[in-house]
Amino acid sequence: MTVSLFDQFMSPTYLGIPLLALALTLPWILYPSPSARWLNNRLLTLQGWFINRFTQQILTPLSLGGHKWALILTSLMIFLITLNILGLLPYTFTPTTQLSLNLGLAVPLWLATVLIGLRNQPTAALGHLLPEGTPTPLIPVLIIIETISLFIRPLALGVRLTANLTAGHLLMQLTSTAAFVMLSMMPTVAVLTTILLFLLTLLEVAVAMIQAYVFVLLLSLYLQGKR
C-alpha cells in the first residue's frame, strides 16, 4: 500500500526515456499568444489582467533595479501555477513534487540574488552576516549561524513547495481510495467522503496557486534585501 501511494510521484518514462522534459514543455502551449489587434478575446484579456496585477504586486516593494527581474519572476509564477494545477488532473504527473526540480529552480535564482548583492552592495551584503551591536564573544557564533541560515534559504524554498504538494496529493489519494472502498459497504459514508474529496480538491487548487506565489514572493524578498 505504501509503494502504491508514492508511485504517483515517480518520474514517468516511455521506452526508457524520461518524460519529465515533455511535462515541463507542454504547459506553455496552453497559453494563447497576444495578438496585434486592438480588441482581444476574453481569455487574452483575463490573462493580461492577471499578469499585470501579479507583476505590480511583486515589484511594488522592489527598487527600480529589481524591476529587471519582472520577466523572470512573472514567467516563473505562471509556469509553477500551470504545473501545479495540471498535476491535480487524473492520470497526470506533477513535476513540482520532485525535490530535485524545485531545487534546480531555487538554487540558481537564490545564487543570483546573492551574487547581485555582493556585486552591487558588498558591504551591506556581508553586513547581514553580523548584526550591529553584537557582543565580541558572540561574533564567531553569529557569523556561523547567519551563514547557515543564508545557505538554507534555497533548501527551504524547494522543500516547502515539494512537501505541500506531496502532502496534498497523498491526502486526495487516500480520501478517494476510502470513498471507493466504502461505496459498497457504507454508501452514505462514501457520499460524505466524496463531498469531502471535492472540497479537498478545491483546497488543493488554492494551495497550488498559493505555493507558486509564495515561491516567487520569497525570491523577490531575497532580491529586495540585496538591492
Side-chain angles (χ1 to χ4, degrees):
M1 184 64 179
T2 304
V3 176
S4 63
L5 284 178
F6 288 91
D7 278 348
Q8 59 178 319
F9 304 117
M10 296 177 59
S11 180
T13 58
Y14 182 73
L15 297 178
I17 302 175
L19 299 182
L20 183 61
L22 184 62
L24 295 175
T25 306
L26 286 181
W28 292 111
I29 304 176
L30 301 178
Y31 287 95
S33 301
S35 62
R37 297 180 300 175
W38 285 12
L39 295 178
N40 294 321
N41 55 31
R42 292 182 177 88
L43 182 58
L44 283 175
T45 303
L46 180 62
Q47 176 181 316
W49 175 85
F50 172 77
I51 293 176
N52 290 335
R53 292 294 298 174
F54 170 75
T55 305
Q56 180 182 1
Q57 182 74 19
I58 288 293
L59 298 184
T60 297
L62 297 181
S63 62
L64 292 179
H67 291 184
K68 300 176 182 178
W69 286 61
L71 180 60
I72 296 178
L73 295 179
T74 305
S75 301
L76 180 62
M77 170 72 174
I78 297 175
F79 184 58
L80 290 178
I81 286 181
T82 306
L83 290 178
N84 294 346
I85 293 182
L86 288 178
L88 296 175
L89 298 175
Y91 302 104
T92 56
F93 171 68
T94 312
T96 45
T97 56
Q98 304 293 314
L99 182 60
S100 57
L101 173 66
N102 295 332
L103 289 180
L105 293 174
V107 172
L109 294 173
W110 163 83
L111 185 60
T113 62
V114 174
L115 294 179
I116 286 176
L118 291 175
R119 185 192 66 179
N120 296 342
Q121 300 178 358
T123 304
L126 295 177
H128 287 297
L129 300 179
L130 184 63
E132 186 178 356
T134 303
T136 304
L138 297 179
I139 289 179
V141 178
L142 284 180
I143 291 179
I144 294 175
I145 293 176
E146 291 296 331
T147 304
I148 293 175
S149 66
L150 178 65
F151 282 95
I152 282 179
R153 285 181 175 182
L155 182 62
L157 280 177
V159 171
R160 180 186 294 108
L161 183 59
T162 303
N164 282 280
L165 295 180
T166 302
H169 283 66
L170 286 176
L171 189 57
M172 289 179 61
Q173 182 171 355
L174 290 173
T175 306
S176 59
T177 303
F180 179 77
V181 170
M182 291 187 297
L183 184 60
S184 58
M185 299 183 295
M186 294 178 288
T188 304
V189 179
V191 171
L192 295 177
T193 307
T194 304
I195 296 175
L196 176 63
L197 177 62
F198 175 75
L199 298 177
L200 184 61
T201 303
L202 296 180
L203 176 63
E204 285 304 313
V205 172
V207 168
M209 300 178 67
I210 291 173
Q211 288 303 316
Y213 175 76
V214 169
F215 189 93
V216 178
L217 178 62
L218 290 177
L219 279 176
S220 67
L221 293 179
Y222 296 161
L223 182 64
Q224 179 185 357
K226 304 299 180 182
R227 297 300 300 177

